[in-house]
Amino acid sequence: MKELKQISHVKVTTYILYGSDEALMLYHNSLDTLLESNCMDFDVVTFETQLGKEPEFIIDIFEIEGYCIIDQTIRNRLHDNLCKKVKNQIIEPRQQ
């Protein structure tokens, strides 16, 4: 969180990927590695600083073991990928 406070200023948007060690390792190998994996232990946040407001992380679904700052294009790709993975988890069991 210290890094977020250092780079975030009022009216500056920061994009954050956070999640498990597995998810972050896959991402650091390459974005495509994470996108093509079955890993869903991550989330992305769009954080706009507003007078000291803290970013909101989902912490009750998986353990947060780290985070990294990403750009908007990567944030959009990861968000879309996560939505598709969740959709497949819901729809595939219904079709069986």
Side-chain angles (χ1 to χ4, degrees):
M1 297 303 271
K2 184 177 180 180
E3 180 184 4
L4 293 177
K5 290 179 182 178
Q6 290 175 344
I7 66 165
S8 297
H9 304 285
V10 174
K11 303 204 185 229
V12 171
T13 302
T14 304
Y15 303 95
I16 305 164
L17 162 65
Y18 69 96
S20 68
D21 283 339
E22 176 189 8
L24 295 172
M25 181 187 69
L26 291 168
Y27 172 74
H28 288 298
N29 285 338
S30 78
L31 173 60
D32 288 332
T33 302
L34 178 55
L35 295 174
E36 294 168 6
S37 76
N38 292 326
C39 181
M40 295 177 20
D41 295 344
F42 67 93
D43 196 13
V44 290
V45 175
T46 302
F47 173 49
E48 295 182 13
T49 56
Q50 296 176 357
L51 303 175
K53 182 179 176 186
E54 295 289 330
E56 295 178 15
F57 294 114
I58 299 171
I59 58 173
D60 55 349
I61 296 175
F62 55 85
E63 189 167 331
I64 298 172
E65 297 171 320
Y67 73 92
C68 58
I69 307 302
I70 56 177
D71 63 35
Q72 184 177 11
T73 301
I74 292 173
R75 179 254 175 236
N76 293 345
R77 289 185 67 193
L78 288 169
H79 177 75
D80 183 59
N81 179 260
L82 191 56
C83 289
K84 288 177 183 175
K85 288 176 179 177
V86 170
K87 177 183 170 189
N88 288 339
Q89 290 287 319
I90 295 169
I91 291 177
E92 284 182 16
R94 281 199 231 160
Q95 294 175 349
Q96 293 178 355

